[in-house]
Amino acid sequence: MTDLNKPLPAHLQQEFEQLIRQRFDGQAQAFSSALSVPPLSDAPREEASDWEFHLKPREIKEYLDRYVIRQNEAKKTLAIALCDHYNQVSWRGPGEDEDYQKQNILLLGPTGVGKTYLIRKMAGLIGVPFVKADATKFSETGYVGAKVEDLLCDLVLQAKGDLGRAACGIVYLDEADKLARRSRDGGKDVNTQGVQFGLLRLLEETDIDLRSVTEFHPQLAPVLDLYRGQSGRLTLNTKHILFILSGAFHGLEEIIYRRLHAGAIGFTHHQNERPTDQEILNHATAADFISYGLEPEFIGRLPVRVACHPLNEADYFQILTASEGSVLKQYQRSFAVYDIDLSFTNGALRMLAAQAAAAGTGARALLSLCERALRPFKFDLPSTPLHELKVTEELLRDPDLYLLKILQAHGLQPSKS
């Protein structure tokens, strides 16, 4: 059998790169990665059935609790769906696999509440390949944007060419609400509608010809076939690939509220009291998503739906102090490289939490706030004999002035810049 791990000859790769530069006016960077695609395993698709899954929903949620604050209902729903799916993949009774219908997932909620982090940690826990992409990069034809089939190519890359592992991976598509955008005349955006229909095949079961998405130019495919000694098709079946879509779905609350109000269904004791967006999203139905602009066939293939909810100041404080993935650990490691012990006062942590809540961009704001406050210290302190930095409220209010004070207190001067 041909050695699929054998790299392309240097002269052939050089010719390919030169051809791409000429063809695309020097914009070869976006295509050159295709030259380093790991060789596809020729293992049969059934190899995925040898994979075993032993986790229970409670175990998955307890693991997620260590990293993601709140979102309890989302964590429970994800844990159950994950167990249902991978128990089916790893254990199949006679004839049962034929009738299996995937429990693809739709996550609702604003940016920065932990949706991506949840999925990434789950995939890491169970040890399957994981791919994340934004729905906005895809187009119906793939001529302008990417093709939806590229997701599977990325999954094979993450599986290091092992089709058996890729066949039971997780694909996470963010900003799925953008697929429901309307055109200016009030009709449906033809392109986003086409992407939805393109995803339908992947969400259920289909065989995707990987050669069409791994080769960056069709004319070069025969050359690679000849070199690799491969003829025929390399396919990946999507039946056991779990698809998880997410989006903020701004405006969906109004659609749900109008439906509930028209039906005289109330959330509170007072009919005229408007429920919170958090309460409303819990009652989203397929009809609401169709009204929002998703195709009935598309939303029908996302049977598991759950909402993540906005974070408040107390939640941000918990993220900083209780999450094992706290951004503070990242900065402590950055300073520890220079033998500097970084610590935070309780007042500083509460101040960061308040600022993050005011920013309104979710947990990502914590990283921006820490970076802005600590950047002067990351530049100057490694070149000084100082081995300790305590972040206080005073430091957060004026980092440059605080840096000048501590340097002068030790007879040092800041760098000239």
Side-chain angles (χ1 to χ4, degrees), residues 85-257:
H85 178 75
Y86 283 108
N87 282 330
Q88 177 69 32
V89 172
S90 62
W91 181 84
R92 307 172 193 171
E96 293 183 13
D97 191 50
E98 298 177 3
D99 300 323
Y100 173 60
Q101 297 185 20
K102 272 196 299 182
Q103 300 187 58
N104 296 313
I105 302 166
L106 179 61
L107 273 178
L108 315 176
T111 183
V113 296
K115 299 190 297 293
T116 302
Y117 198 38
L118 277 171
I119 309 307
R120 192 180 300 278
K121 298 307 293 187
M122 284 197 319
L125 174 65
I126 63 178
V128 296
F130 168 76
V131 166
K132 175 188 180 295
D134 291 337
T136 52
K137 81 173 188 176
F138 296 105
S139 69
E140 181 178 4
T141 62
Y143 292 133
V144 179
K147 296 186 296 184
V148 293
E149 291 84 357
D150 293 343
L151 290 167
L152 302 185
C153 181
D154 293 338
L155 198 61
V156 173
L157 291 174
Q158 291 298 318
K160 303 186 186 304
D162 185 337
L163 296 187
R165 291 189 65 233
C168 58
I170 293 177
V171 173
Y172 176 56
L173 193 61
D174 199 8
E175 299 192 55
D177 52 326
K178 303 300 190 299
L179 297 178
R181 287 184 297 186
R182 303 277 180 158
S183 61
R184 292 183 180 179
D185 61 2
K188 290 186 177 180
D189 185 318
V190 175
N191 183 60
T192 56
Q193 185 181 26
V195 176
Q196 288 187 54
F197 283 118
L199 284 167
L200 287 181
R201 297 184 306 132
L202 307 188
L203 291 175
E204 224 166 52
E205 179 184 9
T206 190
D207 288 312
I208 298 297
D209 182 4
L210 292 173
R211 193 175 310 285
S212 66
V213 291
T214 55
E215 309 302 352
F216 58 84
H217 201 282
Q219 282 84 348
L220 298 180
V223 180
L224 295 182
D225 287 343
L226 179 63
Y227 173 70
R228 290 175 174 167
Q230 297 174 2
S231 59
R233 302 173 63 195
L234 284 170
T235 61
L236 183 66
N237 186 274
T238 65
K239 184 168 187 175
H240 295 114
I241 297 174
L242 183 63
F243 286 83
I244 304 176
L245 280 67
S246 74
F249 286 90
H250 296 296
L252 182 64
E253 302 90 345
E254 289 297 328
I255 295 174
I256 301 171
Y257 179 70

Side-chain angles (χ1 to χ4, degrees), residues 61 84 247 304 331:
K61 182 183 180 297
D84 286 347
V304 181
Y331 280 92

